[in-house]
Amino acid sequence: MMMTLKLICFLLFVATATQAEKRFFSPEYLALNGNMVPNCEIAEDESIDCTYASKYQRMLSVPLGVYQGDVVADVTLGINPKYANIMDTDFFVLLSDGSQAVGFLVPDHTNYGGQYDQEPCFHVQGTPGDSLSNIQKFNNGPKINDSNPVPAKFTFLISTQQKMGSCVCSTAYEGSYTTAKYYPDGVQPADRELTLDIYSEDDAGERYNFRYIAVDIQLDTHKYM
């Protein structure tokens, strides 16, 4: 019940925010403007393929602009789960102000059951940079059937004022999946360059795939108790 109330309040916030900018980032654009590292490349299917190089490496960093107040970021990430369904490939998707980053970790299929028992996406915060540090992970649930394949699309909503984020994706056995939670720390967007950063995790041999990123940044003109 508490999770439902949190999500309803957050979605009401999104509905009342003022739209500022919506952008679509193709692999070609990301290769030129996303600070893509050398261990990432455009694959034959015109997606971005990355190989593991170092722990918590920032593989992509997409500039989103400078804003004068709090925002909500609506991020859609498309992947080809060709690696995530068969091998170790965990990555972070984070909104960053240069000093703090909040967002989500997207684990591979091997983490859905067994000793890890993880959901398809869960909350993370940390200190951004060439590598992510001071990482905190929050497994908020709900859990899913570990027979589910990794989804091909994730939608992340992050409110800087409410310090809250939600992840929405589609599962084969449970249908729509949603998780929502508050972050202990938050991003401070006012007069700072916001970026959307994608980081590797910490296991050698991982591979990653990203098909597209779409970001809708909305200014928050409301105050909440």
Side-chain angles (χ1 to χ4, degrees), residues 34-56:
N35 300 297
M36 194 168 80
V37 294
N39 46 296
C40 293
E41 62 180 10
I42 302 293
E44 290 185 1
D45 64 357
E46 298 184 354
S47 62
I48 292 177
D49 264 11
C50 300
T51 56
Y52 176 92
S54 59
K55 291 183 178 181
Y56 308 117

Side-chain angles (χ1 to χ4, degrees), residues 107-120:
D108 58 74
H109 178 264
T110 63
N111 293 322
Y112 285 4
Q115 62 176 319
Y116 298 108
D117 195 25
Q118 294 173 345
E119 52 266 36

Side-chain angles (χ1 to χ4, degrees), residues 17-23 64-65 67 70-75 95 158 194 215-219:
T18 301
Q19 181 170 317
E21 186 174 14
K22 185 173 184 178
R23 302 172 66 185
L64 300 178
Y67 299 88
D70 282 299
V71 302
V72 60
D74 182 344
V75 179
L95 181 69
I158 300 172
L194 290 181
V215 182
D216 185 354
I217 298 289
Q218 299 178 346
L219 296 173

Side-chain angles (χ1 to χ4, degrees), residues 4-174:
T4 301
L5 289 174
K6 284 182 178 180
L7 182 59
I8 290 173
C9 290
F10 187 53
L11 293 178
L12 285 174
F13 161 76
V14 173
T16 57
T18 301
Q19 181 170 317
E21 186 174 14
K22 185 173 184 178
R23 302 172 66 185
F24 178 87
F25 303 99
S26 66
E28 292 79 8
Y29 180 93
L30 293 171
L32 294 174
N33 303 285
N35 300 297
M36 194 168 80
V37 294
N39 46 296
C40 293
E41 62 180 10
I42 302 293
E44 290 185 1
D45 64 357
E46 298 184 354
S47 62
I48 292 177
D49 264 11
C50 300
T51 56
Y52 176 92
S54 59
K55 291 183 178 181
Y56 308 117
Q57 179 196 30
R58 184 165 56 193
M59 298 182 291
L60 292 168
S61 182
V62 186
L64 300 178
V66 178
Y67 299 88
Q68 301 305 309
D70 282 299
V71 302
V72 60
D74 182 344
V75 179
T76 302
L77 173 70
I79 69 170
N80 183 338
K82 58 184 179 181
Y83 303 130
N85 280 321
I86 62 173
M87 62 183 293
D88 191 7
T89 169
D90 310 316
F91 61 88
F92 301 85
V93 182
L94 304 175
L95 181 69
S96 169
D97 64 8
S99 297
Q100 181 70 25
V102 299
F104 295 86
L105 188 148
V106 177
D108 58 74
H109 178 264
T110 63
N111 293 322
Y112 285 4
Q115 62 176 319
Y116 298 108
D117 195 25
Q118 294 173 345
E119 52 266 36
C121 44
F122 56 91
H123 293 68
V124 172
Q125 68 177 32
T127 303
D130 291 336
S131 60
L132 186 66
S133 59
N134 301 317
I135 300 169
Q136 294 179 273
K137 302 176 183 178
F138 311 96
N139 295 87
N140 196 46
K143 304 299 182 183
I144 62 168
N145 188 315
D146 60 13
S147 296
N148 282 296
V150 174
K153 183 174 78 171
F154 296 83
T155 298
F156 311 107
L157 299 172
I158 300 172
S159 164
T160 64
Q161 183 176 147
Q162 296 190 68
K163 297 182 180 179
M164 186 174 181
S166 72
C167 171
V168 181
C169 61
S170 178
T171 67
Y173 291 95
E174 288 88 1

